[in-house]
Amino acid sequence: MMRLTFSIMTGLMLAAAARAQALDQVLARWDQDTHPDLRSVLVQRDGAIVAERYYNGEIADTLHDIRSAGKSVTALLAGAARLNPDARIDHYWPQAKGTALDGITLDQVLSMRSGLAAFDEDPASPGNEDKMDDAADPIAFTLATPRETTPGTRYRYNSLTAYIAGVTVEKATGKDLEDYARGALFQPLGIQRWAWGRDVAGHPKGQGNLSLRTRDLARIGQLVLNQGVYDGKRIVDADWLAAALAPRVAIGDNDRYADHYGYFWYRKTQQIDGRPVLVHFASGNGGNKIYVIPSRQMVVVVTSSAYGKGYGQLRSENILKAVLAAAP
């Protein structure tokens, strides 16, 4: 019996070593990428790092700006604060009463269906991200943004609503967003270093510009994979997180990289060797990703500085597909 057990253990160890070698070979393919702005790829399975590679001067200790993938962190903070998705924004933020935000629910904000006249792809949009960044008073700018459609009826990706979500967490908790993140999310995950951009009014940008280390991004992914639990501790309510990951809005017709949108989290079913694999993910400009793959008990992190360049998103998806093909 002991000999049989030893044989089984040896076989498992050899299989794991073979998978790790296959993943290392996959990640090495991008050493010679013609675009020198890939920064890192990390693969975690069953809570352990099984492959990790850094590119173009990046090291494990480098803080990397994940851009709009920070929106997904803001959503987790709303969950950690146990905010009610069906509650009105003005319930938490009384100053919103009497503005276009009056009556809009947190659910509508987190799913990019606020109805506000804010669309980042249209420079003329009143609530366009660049206009918000240039505003002398971002809070006043936000509260003055008009309504364009009935809340809950149309998906419009924009940073303004993610900023609203961040301010709403602040109002609900009575804490600065970064201070709240420190105690409610970062410290419980063992994250010790980060940098978070702030607007001219001093508010952390709930819409992005959060810089983290690659391994710490994997911790966030593991939290999502574990349905809100990390290292045995409940950080985000499981039902709230399930709602955040649910396919709330179909966006596949307009987004080649996603099928649905939830609460600042995307989802897509990838076809890998003819089999469907569901992937939840946080996504930022340039190809920054936290991929969460429940069926494989896997987290894949990609960091990239291809800001404003379309190939960054495609490259990250290609890396994900190659990893999934190599680690069935």
Side-chain angles (χ1 to χ4, degrees):
M1 178 64 72
M2 290 180 62
R3 185 175 299 175
L4 179 60
T5 300
F6 177 78
S7 177
I8 292 173
M9 291 179 62
T10 301
L12 291 173
M13 291 173 63
L14 289 173
R19 285 195 295 269
Q21 183 178 19
L23 285 171
D24 285 340
Q25 291 173 349
V26 166
L27 302 194
R29 295 179 195 171
W30 278 271
D31 285 347
Q32 305 303 320
D33 191 343
T34 56
H35 301 292
D37 45 22
L38 180 62
R39 299 305 176 195
S40 71
V41 180
L42 182 150
V43 182
Q44 191 161 281
R45 195 163 199 177
D46 296 319
I49 296 173
V50 294
E52 183 178 22
R53 200 174 191 89
Y54 295 87
Y55 309 84
N56 301 302
E58 194 96 341
I59 60 175
D61 207 41
T62 302
L63 291 175
H64 182 82
D65 185 351
I66 59 173
R67 297 295 174 94
S68 285
K71 291 179 172 66
S72 303
V73 175
T74 298
L76 295 179
L77 293 174
R82 298 175 179 266
L83 302 192
N84 180 2
D86 295 326
R88 294 161 47 136
I89 293 299
D90 56 80
H91 169 75
Y92 297 110
W93 187 3
Q95 194 179 358
K97 291 182 178 180
T99 74
L101 279 68
D102 195 335
I104 295 173
T105 66
L106 183 62
D107 171 275
Q108 292 162 349
V109 166
L110 293 172
S111 58
M112 297 291 182
R113 297 177 297 167
S114 69
L116 295 175
F119 189 32
D120 288 348
E121 294 182 18
D122 180 7
S125 174
N128 176 272
E129 179 180 20
D130 292 337
K131 291 182 179 179
M132 180 174 63
D133 288 341
D134 292 339
D137 185 341
I139 292 292
F141 176 88
T142 299
L143 295 174
T145 300
R147 187 174 293 184
E148 186 174 53
T149 60
T150 302
T153 61
R154 185 172 68 175
Y155 169 86
R156 271 283 194 259
Y157 184 88
N158 65 91
S159 288
L160 180 75
T161 50
Y163 181 74
I164 292 169
V167 173
T168 301
V169 172
E170 290 187 323
K171 297 295 184 180
T173 63
K175 295 181 179 180
D176 173 271
L177 187 63
E178 184 175 356
D179 289 343
Y180 181 69
R182 177 183 290 107
L185 186 64
F186 295 157
Q187 288 180 344
L189 292 180
I191 297 174
Q192 299 177 344
R193 292 183 59 237
W194 67 87
W196 204 333
R198 292 173 178 260
D199 64 21
V200 295
H203 293 278
K205 294 184 176 182
Q207 69 270 35
N209 292 123
L210 173 62
S211 296
L212 290 161
R213 295 180 293 189
T214 299
R215 292 179 184 177
D216 291 334
L217 294 169
R219 293 171 188 261
I220 292 171
Q222 192 66 39
L223 171 71
V224 174
L225 182 64
N226 292 349
Q227 301 177 331
V229 173
Y230 189 85
D231 198 22
K233 181 179 180 180
R234 168 69 60 189
I235 297 175
V236 180
D237 180 77
D239 290 340
W240 201 99
L241 188 54
L245 300 179
R248 314 196 79 81
V249 189
I251 61 173
D253 288 344
N254 300 313
D255 190 334
R256 62 173 293 186
Y257 299 110
D259 298 327
H260 294 91
Y261 198 71
Y263 290 160
F264 297 166
W265 282 82
Y266 298 83
R267 61 187 280 159
K268 183 177 179 65
T269 299
Q270 297 284 356
Q271 295 297 323
I272 307 298
D273 294 330
R275 296 182 179 180
V277 179
L278 176 62
V279 181
H280 302 285
F281 62 101
S283 180
N285 189 338
N288 291 286
K289 308 286 182 179
I290 306 174
Y291 292 113
V292 178
I293 308 96
S295 64
R296 305 283 180 92
Q297 282 297 295
M298 183 182 291
V299 173
V300 179
V301 174
V302 183
T303 63
S304 165
S305 297
Y307 303 127
K309 300 172 182 176
Y311 63 77
Q313 303 291 352
L314 178 59
R315 178 176 61 196
S316 294
E317 186 177 69
N318 287 339
I319 290 171
L320 171 69
K321 288 180 178 178
V323 166
L324 292 177

